[in-house]
Amino acid sequence: MKVLSPILACLALAVVVSHAVLSPEQYWSYKLPNIPMPKAVKEILHPAHFGVFAELMEEKSTSVNVGGGGVNVNTGKGKPGGDTHVNVGGKGVGVNTGKPGGGTHVNDPDPFNYLYAASETQIHEDPNVALFFLEKDMHPGATMSLHFIENTEKSAFLPYQTAQKIPFSSDKLPEIFNKFSVKPGSVKAEMMKNTIKECEQPAIEGEEKYCATSLESMIDYSISKLGKVDQAVSTEVEKQTPMQKYTIAAGVQKMTDDKAVVCHKQNYAYAVFYCHKSETTRAYMVPLEGAGGTKAKALAVCHTDTSAWNPKHLAFQFLKVEPGTIPVCHFLPRDHIVWVPK
């Protein structure tokens, strides 16, 4: 039987104990000293309206609003003036009622899951159709019509120990629905079902994926894939505004030239992040100045190898390019996070 050295044994014990006794904020400071916590994380640590933690610890059911992805933009494609109109979009946050502006269909594939083909709804009706753009269009002076919507349903992180006790798999859906008082077949149920399904799908070739059900597990995954983390960043906007024309200002900053972990907030009863590590990702922090005076720092991710993506993915159908031929970029919604290695 192999015996751990005293030092390794202490380290292993420290990890176990830290999950049990440290709050999520303390765990961040413990694992990521001197790295500022991005706003996207701070906003969903302890929202006042999400009082589920104590009840879950007592094994009670509770009714929880399912949070959605958060940025929608009208494309404006084809208008005179030569501007580029980009949809900075997340996952669907509503059900299409058949009325103008009715929202995204619940069963539309996540545009950040590159294994899926675009649905007819996304191609012809969904505002997410203009989500993607080309790297060459990202330069100072370029203009884009954007709408950074703040997600008002901020599903919160569960503490690590609580999240570990709650099943997260398709074969446990009845138990999960009961836990959160979600009616099977309802909009919330379909959103949760789709999130679990996407988390259970295999990663595309060349990437590794993981769905983090707590802040602690997202921290651990990012460190395990990147080694030392230099930054964790998210898109930030000064204030909520209507759609307006943004101009890319001077100072576009390349955060990483190849390796990164990108975590996308999912639609679920509590905070779940779909994280994937790629060796072919360039991440940028892009300063934007709105026509109305609003300033933003928007995260843009460019995928330099799309050869393993579904050939009918939304990006290729909108940009009219072939898989693996040219870098494909997209801005990230305000509740997504990029982890940058040292």
Side-chain angles (χ1 to χ4, degrees):
M1 178 178 177
K2 187 175 181 180
V3 179
L4 291 175
S5 69
I7 294 177
L8 289 177
C10 288
L11 287 174
L13 179 61
V15 171
V16 173
V17 172
S18 64
H19 277 131
V21 303
L22 297 181
S23 69
E25 298 97 320
Q26 291 171 329
Y27 193 75
W28 181 285
S29 298
Y30 170 69
K31 300 291 284 189
L32 302 168
N34 304 317
I35 295 179
M37 183 181 288
K39 188 176 181 180
V41 172
K42 292 179 181 178
E43 289 182 339
I44 57 174
L45 281 175
H46 307 294
H49 67 279
F50 194 81
V52 68
F53 299 150
E55 294 180 13
L56 284 172
M57 292 300 287
E58 294 173 11
E59 298 298 322
K60 295 180 181 178
S61 296
T62 186
S63 180
V64 181
N65 286 330
V66 179
V71 188
N72 294 312
V73 168
N74 292 326
T75 69
K77 190 181 179 187
K79 292 184 179 181
D83 298 336
T84 301
H85 295 257
V86 181
N87 174 51
V88 189
K91 296 189 65 176
V93 295
V95 180
N96 195 315
T97 62
K99 299 177 182 178
T104 302
H105 288 263
V106 164
N107 291 320
D108 280 345
D110 180 357
F112 298 118
N113 189 321
Y114 311 118
L115 285 172
Y116 287 100
S119 69
E120 288 299 312
T121 301
Q122 285 181 306
I123 297 170
H124 299 295
E125 301 175 23
D126 192 343
N128 279 333
V129 73
L131 171 62
F132 296 89
F133 62 99
L134 299 178
E135 194 170 24
K136 67 181 180 63
D137 296 323
M138 186 174 55
H139 57 81
T143 58
M144 303 179 181
S145 292
L146 307 173
H147 190 189
F148 294 95
I149 297 176
E150 182 177 6
N151 182 14
T152 56
E153 289 189 3
K154 293 181 172 63
S155 52
F157 281 114
L158 292 182
Y160 175 82
Q161 293 296 329
T162 303
Q164 291 297 102
K165 296 177 182 178
I166 301 174
F168 188 80
S169 64
S170 294
D171 60 355
K172 297 290 185 180
L173 278 172
E175 181 181 345
I176 296 169
F177 292 157
N178 182 63
K179 171 76 70 176
F180 291 98
S181 299
V182 174
K183 183 180 179 180
S186 67
V187 172
K188 291 181 181 180
E190 288 303 303
M191 285 182 173
M192 294 170 69
K193 177 182 176 181
N194 289 344
T195 289
I196 291 178
K197 177 183 176 182
E198 290 178 3
C199 286
E200 291 174 340
Q201 290 289 325
I204 67 172
E205 184 179 350
E207 292 193 350
E208 300 175 51
K209 61 174 281 193
Y210 172 72
C211 279
T213 57
S214 68
L215 176 59
E216 294 93 329
S217 61
M218 181 163 58
I219 292 170
D220 290 346
Y221 175 77
S222 300
I223 292 175
S224 72
K225 297 304 174 185
L226 299 178
K228 293 184 177 180
V229 174
D230 183 54
Q231 296 182 74
V233 289
S234 61
T235 291
E236 295 191 12
V237 184
E238 281 185 339
K239 60 183 179 180
Q240 179 66 45
T241 61
M243 185 177 72
Q244 62 180 288
K245 183 184 294 184
Y246 282 89
T247 300
I248 297 180
V252 175
Q253 178 187 359
K254 183 182 286 187
M255 315 276 306
T256 178
D257 198 35
D258 46 29
K259 184 166 64 174
V261 169
V262 182
C263 294
H264 307 284
K265 183 80 163 14
Q266 301 296 292
N267 289 326
Y268 206 68
Y270 53 90
V272 172
F273 281 80
Y274 175 106
C275 299
H276 55 106
K277 176 241 181 178
S278 172
E279 301 278 354
T280 57
T281 297
R282 287 196 282 264
Y284 297 86
M285 185 61 78
V286 183
L288 299 171
E289 296 179 356
T294 301
K295 293 184 179 181
K297 292 181 179 179
L299 271 173
V301 173
C302 295
H303 302 271
T304 59
D305 183 4
T306 59
S307 57
W309 291 23
N310 190 308
K312 293 186 177 180
H313 188 272
L314 190 62
F316 304 132
Q317 300 207 44
F318 174 68
L319 297 173
K320 308 299 182 185
V321 297
E322 298 293 326
T325 59
I326 191 170
V328 170
C329 306
H330 56 83
F331 284 109
L332 289 176
R334 294 163 71 170
D335 54 2
H336 294 202
I337 301 163
V338 173
W339 300 79
V340 180
K342 282 189 176 178

